[in-house]
Amino acid sequence: MFDDPADEFGEYAHEEILQGLVRSLLTSADLDQLCDEADLPQLTHDDGTPVTVTSARVYRDAGVMTLDRGVWLELSDGSVFGLTVSIARRPRDEVTLRRG
């Protein structure tokens, strides 16, 4: 029997999927490579080595006390960022989920 993706994501499917994509993107390649691909300058330490993402966890796994969905990023330079995924409008039509 196949698992129903709707069971995994529930009514917050858009937010859950987007937070998963952001987390995956930021852990699948080096930050300097992502900056190059986006034609952005690279973040570097004083010694010239690239700043890296040392941790990218969804808010729930990072222990962030919020009901929002998002990704908690920790960088090698000591900085920490929370990227919140918030919905401004729900879809007009029903959306179904399917595995790729």
Side-chain angles (χ1 to χ4, degrees):
M1 182 172 175
F2 295 101
D3 291 335
D4 184 356
D7 292 341
E8 180 180 350
F9 295 106
E11 76 177 281
Y12 299 102
H14 288 79
E15 295 98 318
E16 292 282 340
I17 289 169
L18 289 172
Q19 93 176 344
L21 285 170
V22 168
R23 182 185 168 281
S24 177
L25 175 67
L26 292 173
T27 56
S28 64
D30 289 332
L31 190 56
D32 59 333
Q33 178 185 351
L34 292 170
C35 288
D36 283 347
E37 291 172 5
D39 197 27
L40 295 170
Q42 296 176 0
L43 296 169
T44 58
H45 293 282
D46 289 341
D47 65 3
T49 61
V51 171
T52 59
V53 176
T54 58
S55 177
R57 298 176 287 164
V58 298
Y59 281 174
R60 179 183 58 246
D61 294 343
V64 177
M65 301 297 287
T66 182
L67 296 176
D68 293 331
R69 284 8 182 221
V71 178
W72 192 252
L73 297 172
E74 297 176 15
L75 303 182
S76 61
D77 65 358
S79 58
V80 178
F81 296 90
L83 302 177
T84 300
V85 176
S86 61
I87 192 160
R89 182 180 336 164
R90 294 272 174 205
R92 289 184 292 268
D93 300 318
E94 187 173 333
V95 176
T96 58
L97 302 175
R98 67 177 172 83
R99 294 277 177 203

